[in-house]
Coordinates of all heavy atoms in Angstrom, one line a residue:
S1 N 0.9 -1.2 0.0 CA 0.0 0.0 0.0 C 0.9 1.3 0.0 O 2.0 1.2 0.5 CB -0.9 0.0 1.3 OG -0.2 0.2 2.4
R2 N 0.3 2.3 -0.5 CA 1.0 3.6 -0.5 C 1.0 4.2 0.9 O 0.1 4.1 1.6 CB 0.4 4.6 -1.5 CG 0.5 4.2 -2.9 CD -0.1 5.3 -3.8 NE 0.0 4.9 -5.2 CZ -0.4 5.6 -6.2 NH1 -1.0 6.7 -6.0 NH2 -0.2 5.2 -7.4
V3 N 2.2 4.9 1.2 CA 2.3 5.5 2.5 C 1.3 6.7 2.6 O 1.3 7.5 1.7 CB 3.7 5.9 2.7 CG1 3.9 6.7 4.1 CG2 4.7 4.7 2.7
G4 N 0.5 6.7 3.6 CA -0.4 7.9 3.9 C -1.7 7.8 3.1 O -2.5 8.6 3.3
R5 N -1.9 6.8 2.3 CA -3.1 6.7 1.5 C -3.9 5.4 2.0 O -5.0 5.3 1.5 CB -2.8 6.6 0.0 CG -2.2 7.9 -0.5 CD -2.2 7.9 -1.9 NE -3.1 8.9 -2.4 CZ -3.7 8.9 -3.5 NH1 -3.4 8.1 -4.4 NH2 -4.5 9.9 -3.8
G6 N -3.4 4.7 2.8 CA -4.1 3.4 3.2 C -4.3 2.5 2.0 O -3.3 2.3 1.2
S7 N -5.4 1.8 1.9 CA -5.6 0.9 0.8 C -6.4 1.5 -0.4 O -6.8 0.8 -1.3 CB -6.3 -0.4 1.3 OG -7.6 0.0 1.8
R8 N -6.6 2.8 -0.4 CA -7.3 3.4 -1.5 C -6.4 3.4 -2.8 O -5.2 3.5 -2.7 CB -7.6 4.9 -1.2 CG -8.6 5.1 -0.1 CD -8.9 6.5 0.1 NE -7.7 7.4 -0.1 CZ -7.8 8.7 -0.1 NH1 -8.9 9.3 0.0 NH2 -6.7 9.4 -0.3
Q9 N -7.1 3.2 -3.9 CA -6.4 3.3 -5.2 C -7.0 4.4 -6.1 O -8.1 4.7 -5.9 CB -6.5 1.9 -5.9 CG -5.7 0.8 -5.1 CD -5.7 -0.4 -5.9 OE1 -6.2 -0.5 -7.0 NE2 -5.2 -1.5 -5.4
G10 N -6.2 4.8 -7.0 CA -6.7 5.9 -7.9 C -6.3 7.3 -7.5 O -5.5 7.4 -6.5
F11 N -6.7 8.3 -8.2 CA -6.4 9.7 -7.9 C -7.6 10.4 -7.5 O -8.7 10.1 -8.0 CB -5.8 10.3 -9.1 CG -4.5 9.7 -9.6 CD1 -4.6 8.8 -10.7 CD2 -3.4 9.9 -9.0 CE1 -3.4 8.2 -11.2 CE2 -2.2 9.3 -9.4 CZ -2.2 8.4 -10.5
T12 N -7.4 11.5 -6.7 CA -8.6 12.3 -6.3 C -8.8 13.3 -7.4 O -8.0 13.5 -8.3 CB -8.3 13.1 -5.1 OG1 -7.2 14.0 -5.3 CG2 -7.9 12.1 -3.9
I13 N -10.0 14.0 -7.4 CA -10.3 15.0 -8.4 C -9.3 16.1 -8.3 O -8.9 16.6 -9.4 CB -11.7 15.5 -8.1 CG1 -12.8 14.4 -8.2 CG2 -12.1 16.7 -9.0 CD1 -13.1 14.0 -9.7
V14 N -8.9 16.5 -7.2 CA -7.9 17.6 -7.0 C -6.6 17.3 -7.7 O -6.0 18.1 -8.4 CB -7.7 18.0 -5.5 CG1 -6.6 19.0 -5.4 CG2 -9.0 18.5 -4.9
E15 N -6.1 16.1 -7.5 CA -4.9 15.7 -8.1 C -5.0 15.7 -9.6 O -4.1 16.2 -10.4 CB -4.5 14.3 -7.7 CG -4.1 14.2 -6.2 CD -3.9 12.8 -5.7 OE1 -4.5 11.9 -6.2 OE2 -3.1 12.6 -4.8
L16 N -6.1 15.2 -10.2 CA -6.3 15.2 -11.6 C -6.4 16.6 -12.2 O -5.9 16.9 -13.3 CB -7.6 14.4 -12.0 CG -7.5 12.9 -11.7 CD1 -8.9 12.3 -12.0 CD2 -6.5 12.3 -12.7
L17 N -7.1 17.5 -11.5 CA -7.3 18.8 -11.9 C -5.9 19.6 -11.9 O -5.6 20.3 -12.9 CB -8.2 19.6 -11.0 CG -9.7 19.3 -11.2 CD1 -10.5 20.0 -10.2 CD2 -10.1 19.6 -12.7
I18 N -5.0 19.3 -10.9 CA -3.7 19.9 -10.9 C -2.9 19.4 -12.1 O -2.2 20.3 -12.8 CB -3.0 19.6 -9.5 CG1 -3.7 20.4 -8.4 CG2 -1.5 20.0 -9.6 CD1 -3.2 19.9 -7.0
V19 N -2.9 18.1 -12.4 CA -2.2 17.6 -13.6 C -2.7 18.2 -14.9 O -1.9 18.6 -15.7 CB -2.3 16.1 -13.6 CG1 -1.7 15.5 -14.9 CG2 -1.5 15.5 -12.4
I20 N -4.0 18.3 -15.0 CA -4.6 18.9 -16.2 C -4.2 20.4 -16.4 O -3.8 20.8 -17.5 CB -6.1 18.8 -16.2 CG1 -6.5 17.3 -16.4 CG2 -6.8 19.6 -17.3 CD1 -8.0 17.0 -16.2
V21 N -4.2 21.1 -15.3 CA -3.8 22.5 -15.4 C -2.3 22.6 -15.7 O -1.9 23.5 -16.6 CB -4.1 23.2 -14.0 CG1 -3.3 24.6 -14.0 CG2 -5.5 23.4 -13.8
I22 N -1.5 21.8 -15.2 CA 0.0 21.8 -15.5 C 0.2 21.5 -17.0 O 1.0 22.2 -17.7 CB 0.8 20.9 -14.6 CG1 0.8 21.5 -13.2 CG2 2.2 20.7 -15.1 CD1 1.4 20.5 -12.1
I23 N -0.5 20.4 -17.5 CA -0.4 20.1 -18.9 C -0.9 21.2 -19.8 O -0.3 21.5 -20.8 CB -1.2 18.8 -19.2 CG1 -0.4 17.6 -18.5 CG2 -1.3 18.5 -20.7 CD1 -1.2 16.3 -18.6
G24 N -2.0 21.9 -19.4 CA -2.4 23.0 -20.1 C -1.5 24.2 -20.2 O -1.2 24.8 -21.3
I25 N -0.8 24.5 -19.1 CA 0.2 25.6 -19.1 C 1.4 25.2 -20.0 O 1.8 26.0 -20.8 CB 0.6 25.8 -17.6 CG1 -0.5 26.5 -16.9 CG2 1.9 26.7 -17.6 CD1 -0.2 26.5 -15.4
L26 N 1.8 24.0 -19.9 CA 2.9 23.5 -20.8 C 2.5 23.6 -22.3 O 3.3 24.0 -23.1 CB 3.4 22.1 -20.4 CG 4.1 22.0 -19.1 CD1 4.3 20.6 -18.7 CD2 5.3 22.8 -19.0
A27 N 1.3 23.2 -22.6 CA 0.8 23.3 -24.0 C 0.8 24.7 -24.5 O 1.2 25.0 -25.6 CB -0.6 22.6 -24.1
V28 N 0.3 25.6 -23.7 CA 0.3 27.0 -24.1 C 1.7 27.5 -24.4 O 2.0 28.2 -25.4 CB -0.4 27.9 -23.1 CG1 -0.2 29.4 -23.2 CG2 -1.9 27.6 -23.0
L29 N 2.7 27.2 -23.5 CA 4.0 27.6 -23.7 C 4.6 27.0 -25.0 O 5.4 27.7 -25.8 CB 4.9 27.2 -22.5 CG 4.6 28.0 -21.2 CD1 5.4 27.4 -20.0 CD2 4.8 29.5 -21.3
A30 N 4.3 25.7 -25.2 CA 4.8 25.1 -26.4 C 4.3 25.7 -27.7 O 5.0 25.9 -28.7 CB 4.6 23.6 -26.4
I31 N 3.0 26.0 -27.7 CA 2.3 26.6 -28.9 C 2.9 28.0 -29.1 O 3.2 28.3 -30.3 CB 0.8 26.7 -28.7 CG1 0.3 25.2 -28.7 CG2 0.2 27.5 -29.7 CD1 -1.2 25.1 -28.3
G32 N 3.2 28.8 -28.1 CA 3.8 30.1 -28.2 C 5.2 30.0 -28.9 O 5.5 30.8 -29.8
A33 N 5.9 29.1 -28.4 CA 7.3 28.9 -28.9 C 7.3 28.4 -30.4 O 8.1 28.9 -31.2 CB 8.1 27.9 -28.1
F34 N 6.3 27.6 -30.7 CA 6.2 27.1 -32.1 C 5.8 28.2 -33.0 O 6.3 28.3 -34.1 CB 5.2 26.0 -32.1 CG 5.0 25.4 -33.4 CD1 6.0 24.6 -34.0 CD2 3.8 25.6 -34.1 CE1 5.8 24.0 -35.3 CE2 3.6 25.0 -35.4 CZ 4.6 24.3 -36.0
S35 N 4.8 29.0 -32.5 CA 4.4 30.2 -33.4 C 5.6 31.2 -33.6 O 5.7 31.7 -34.8 CB 3.3 30.9 -32.7 OG 2.1 30.1 -32.6
R36 N 6.4 31.4 -32.6 CA 7.5 32.3 -32.9 C 8.5 31.8 -33.8 O 9.0 32.5 -34.7 CB 8.1 32.6 -31.5 CG 7.4 33.7 -30.6 CD 8.3 34.1 -29.4 NE 8.6 33.0 -28.6 CZ 7.8 32.6 -27.6 NH1 6.6 33.2 -27.4 NH2 8.1 31.6 -26.8
S37 N 8.7 30.5 -33.7 CA 9.7 29.9 -34.6 C 9.1 29.8 -36.0 O 9.9 30.0 -37.0 CB 10.1 28.5 -34.2 OG 9.0 27.6 -34.1
Q38 N 7.9 29.6 -36.2 CA 7.3 29.8 -37.6 C 7.4 31.2 -38.2 O 7.7 31.3 -39.3 CB 5.8 29.4 -37.5 CG 5.5 27.9 -37.7 CD 4.0 27.7 -37.7 OE1 3.2 28.3 -37.2 NE2 3.7 26.6 -38.5
E39 N 7.2 32.1 -37.4 CA 7.3 33.5 -37.8 C 8.7 33.8 -38.2 O 9.0 34.5 -39.2 CB 6.8 34.4 -36.7 CG 6.3 35.8 -37.2 CD 5.3 35.8 -38.3 OE1 4.3 35.0 -38.2 OE2 5.5 36.6 -39.2
Q40 N 9.7 33.4 -37.4 CA 11.1 33.6 -37.8 C 11.5 32.9 -39.1 O 12.2 33.4 -39.9 CB 12.0 33.1 -36.6 CG 11.9 34.0 -35.4 CD 12.7 33.4 -34.3 OE1 13.1 32.2 -34.3 NE2 12.9 34.2 -33.2
A41 N 11.0 31.7 -39.3 CA 11.2 31.0 -40.5 C 10.6 31.7 -41.7 O 11.2 31.8 -42.8 CB 10.6 29.6 -40.5
R42 N 9.4 32.3 -41.6 CA 8.8 33.0 -42.7 C 9.6 34.3 -43.0 O 9.8 34.6 -44.2 CB 7.4 33.5 -42.3 CG 6.4 32.4 -42.4 CD 5.0 32.9 -42.2 NE 4.0 31.8 -42.0 CZ 3.4 31.6 -40.9 NH1 3.6 32.3 -39.8 NH2 2.6 30.5 -40.8
A43 N 10.1 34.9 -42.0 CA 11.0 36.1 -42.2 C 12.2 35.8 -42.9 O 12.7 36.5 -43.8 CB 11.2 36.9 -40.8
A44 N 12.8 34.7 -42.5 CA 14.1 34.2 -43.1 C 13.9 33.9 -44.6 O 14.7 34.2 -45.5 CB 14.7 33.0 -42.4

């Protein structure tokens, strides 16, 4: 069993929401970087 969780399995809603928010933030950053590199390629 996991320490501090007893015999429960799975994730709580809060844990899932935190992971979804982090993935969303990373996706926004990646899309921004991709857009900038596309614009630089067009200028070149």
Side-chain angles (χ1 to χ4, degrees):
S1 66
R2 292 183 176 178
V3 176
R5 295 191 110 199
S7 62
R8 292 185 322 174
Q9 292 187 3
F11 298 102
T12 65
I13 298 284
V14 173
E15 290 171 332
L16 291 173
L17 287 175
I18 290 171
V19 169
I20 291 171
V21 167
I22 290 171
I23 290 172
I25 290 170
L26 292 174
V28 166
L29 293 174
I31 290 171
F34 181 70
S35 295
R36 280 190 298 274
S37 62
Q38 272 188 327
E39 201 55 43
Q40 289 173 348
R42 284 188 191 111

